[in-house]
């Protein structure tokens, strides 16, 4: 009987610790996505550690978050600029920056990874985090295209690993896809859904299938657009106009590719081509490859399919 009670109380405490509300979040990668995720997590009351490779990169991310928050505050505090300043400074004060991911990971409830779209680099990061983070910490990746199970395989916490796939720009886009692998346990999955909702997002659930829901549909559409241009059938400008005015999309496929980043876009296509080489859909795009090889990565560099003011 004593043994049964011990096991019973251990399982209660394990499950209640896994179910504990997520308060401290570590976001790794402070680029387009990581900075947006950190900003919204802090704006919804979470304590956030934001990690990147250098203090210089982190400084630029903090400045970008400030700009985004100014846009939010301008609307929210239209008649109260002082209130707007307090709003911004309170959110910013909940974000600490760090260059060593293992430091905040040692004391965090959730790690959200938003680094470069490369399986080896993500696996290497999570392997080191697995050694540093406590038992209860949940790991999540914001990958656009890599299998969550492949990233999780670098750790010993397959049951506490899932996907949280946000959309760009995170402060404006209302969706987060919550991904469970066959190993993700129910407590972890529920914590991830609850966290998505606590960030003010609408959550949808998806299995660990290539592209999840949105990118499974979006990537073929965008690739068809680039093939139209490569065949000389229509210009990027006309395709964008057509999809905005004819299909009601807020951005056309080329504007969106520049917004997402052509480097990230290429990582996604190259990864799927390597995995599904026989699929005609994922054949490399000479036009995209040319732009990336010239360092024209879209809005982040000031030039991609279009020129952008920096
Ligand atoms: C064709 C090339 C082929 C390549 C191969 C294909 C590869 C496939 C790549 C797939 C990539 C997948 C990436 C991924 O995993 C998933 C994604 O995230 S996909 C991207 C999803 N996002 C979208 O689709 C964005 C669509 N665009 C919009 O919704 C709007 O355009 C946007 C909200 C971005 C901007 O709105 P717009 O009216 O155009 O401009 P404004 O500047 O006037 O903004 C409106 C409004 O919003 C406020 N705002 C905008 N950005 C921010 C921000 N970052 N922070 C805070 N606030 C922001 C702004 O202040 C305005 O507010 P007002 O009150 O209206 O003034
Ligand atoms: N750009 C987009 O629209 C979307 C991207 N994603 C995914 O989010 C992830 C990040 O994408 P972006 O933010 O666009 O990329 P980004 O290039 O803007 O930012 C990536 C950041 O990660 C940092 N980084 C790289 N390796 C690191 C490491 N080992 N440790 C710490 N930091 C490291 C880089 O310095 C950079 O600041 C990718 O997996 C991408 O597929 C998901 C949804 C939308």
């Amino acid at each position: 009987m004593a043994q049964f009670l011990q096991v019973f109380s251990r399982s209660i405490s394990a499950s209640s610790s896994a179910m504990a509300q997520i308060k401290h979040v570590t976001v790794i990668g402070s680029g387009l996505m990581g900075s947006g995720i950190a900003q919204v997590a802090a704006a919804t009351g979470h304590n956030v550690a934001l990690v990147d490779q250098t203090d210089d990169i982190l400084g630029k991310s903090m400045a970008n978050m400030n700009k985004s928050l100014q846009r939010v505050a301008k609307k929210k505090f239209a008649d109260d600029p002082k209130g707007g300043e307090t709003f911004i400074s309170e959110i910013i004060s909940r974000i600490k920056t760090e260059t060593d991911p293992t430091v905040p990971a040692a004391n965090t409830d959730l790690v959200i990874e938003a680094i470069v779209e490369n399986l080896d680099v993500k696996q290497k990061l999570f392997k080191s985090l697995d050694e540093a983070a406590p038992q209860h910490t949940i790991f999540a990746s914001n990958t656009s295209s890599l299998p969550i199970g492949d990233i999780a395989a670098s750790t010993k916490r397959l049951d506490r690993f899932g996907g949280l796939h946000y959309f760009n720009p995170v402060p404006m886009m209302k969706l987060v896809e919550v991904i469970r692998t066959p190993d993700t346990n129910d407590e972890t999955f529920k914590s991830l859904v609850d966290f998505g909702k606590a960030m003010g997002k609408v959550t949808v659930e998806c299995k660990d299938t290539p592209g999840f829901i949105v990118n499974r549909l979006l990537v073929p559409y965008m690739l068809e657009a680039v093939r139209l241009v490569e065949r000389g059938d229509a210009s990027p400008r006309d395709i964008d106009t057509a999809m905005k005015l004819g299909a009601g999309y807020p951005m056309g496929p080329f504007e969106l590719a520049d917004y997402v980043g052509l480097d990230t876009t290429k990582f996604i296509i190259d990864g799927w081509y390597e995995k599904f080489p026989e699929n005609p859909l994922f054949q490399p795009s000479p036009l995209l490859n040319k732009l990336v090889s010239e360092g024209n990565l879209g809005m982040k560099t000031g030039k991609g399919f279009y020129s952008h003011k920096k």
Side-chain angles (χ1 to χ4, degrees):
M1 183 64 175
Q3 204 183 10
F4 165 77
L5 283 176
Q6 221 180 3
V7 171
F8 179 71
S9 79
R10 253 205 317 264
S11 80
I12 293 251
S13 88
S15 106
S16 57
S17 75
M19 288 295 288
Q21 210 192 349
I22 288 166
K23 294 199 182 85
H24 190 285
V25 185
T26 297
V27 179
I28 307 184
S30 73
L32 276 176
M33 295 306 290
S35 61
I37 296 166
Q39 176 186 322
V40 179
T44 48
H46 302 88
N47 293 319
V48 178
L50 180 61
V51 181
D52 211 303
Q53 303 178 99
T54 67
D55 285 322
D56 190 42
I57 299 174
L58 286 162
K60 288 185 184 135
S61 301
M62 294 304 292
N64 285 338
M65 278 186 258
N66 218 298
K67 255 193 245 163
S68 170
L69 285 167
Q70 302 275 2
R71 295 169 88 169
V72 177
K74 206 169 153 194
K75 281 176 267 183
K76 210 174 156 95
F77 294 89
D79 304 320
D80 176 14
K82 204 110 201 88
E85 276 170 37
T86 310
F87 165 81
I88 295 173
S89 62
E90 277 179 6
I91 294 171
I92 294 289
S93 73
R94 281 196 282 275
I95 305 174
K96 306 279 174 262
T97 57
E98 181 53 75
T99 51
D100 178 353
T102 62
V103 172
N107 187 19
T108 199
D109 302 316
L110 171 67
V111 171
I112 305 175
E113 167 274 314
I115 66 169
V116 62
E117 187 74 343
N118 176 297
L119 181 61
D120 291 342
V121 182
K122 287 189 196 283
Q123 284 184 330
K124 192 162 164 250
L125 171 70
F126 274 116
K127 189 172 186 312
S128 70
L129 293 172
D130 198 27
E131 283 154 20
Q135 272 291 103
H136 81 278
T137 305
I138 293 175
F139 286 178
S141 174
N142 180 53
T143 178
S144 296
S145 63
L146 300 168
I148 300 295
D150 289 2
I151 305 172
S154 60
T155 72
K156 296 194 182 79
R157 60 182 82 207
L158 302 186
D159 53 340
R160 282 151 291 144
F161 206 120
L164 279 177
H165 184 223
Y166 293 84
F167 294 83
N168 183 21
V170 182
M172 299 303 296
M173 302 299 283
K174 296 207 181 332
L175 186 70
V176 59
E177 294 176 325
V178 186
I179 316 303
R180 66 185 306 167
T181 74
D183 295 311
T184 311
N185 69 28
D186 290 343
E187 288 83 358
T188 298
F189 183 70
K190 185 171 183 321
S191 293
L192 292 174
V193 170
D194 288 349
F195 176 71
K197 291 188 197 311
M199 277 179 75
K201 302 296 181 194
V202 173
T203 58
V204 291
E205 171 179 349
C206 186
K207 287 187 182 167
D208 191 13
T209 182
F212 316 130
I213 299 173
V214 172
N215 287 346
R216 184 66 169 259
L217 302 176
L218 184 65
V219 174
Y221 149 73
M222 291 178 72
L223 279 166
E224 280 301 321
V226 83
R227 310 284 186 226
L228 270 175
V229 173
E230 284 170 347
R231 286 194 302 267
D233 293 339
S235 69
R237 180 79 65 194
D238 281 349
I239 294 169
D240 281 349
T241 301
M243 293 315 292
K244 285 190 287 185
L245 303 186
Y249 287 19
M251 285 176 168
F254 295 94
E255 289 168 335
L256 187 58
D258 273 6
Y259 195 69
V260 164
L262 300 189
D263 48 348
T264 300
T265 295
K266 181 169 155 56
F267 285 131
I268 296 171
I269 302 308
D270 288 353
W272 283 6
Y273 174 58
E274 202 177 307
K275 213 165 172 141
F276 310 104
E278 72 295 340
N279 189 331
L281 201 60
F282 303 131
Q283 298 306 303
S285 155
L287 180 52
L288 177 66
N289 287 351
K290 179 171 180 291
L291 288 167
V292 173
S293 71
E294 291 165 351
N296 294 320
L297 307 182
M299 288 185 79
K300 60 173 94 171
T301 59
K303 192 159 185 262
F305 288 103
Y306 297 105
S307 290
H308 306 271
K309 264 194 263 151
K310 278 211 85 187

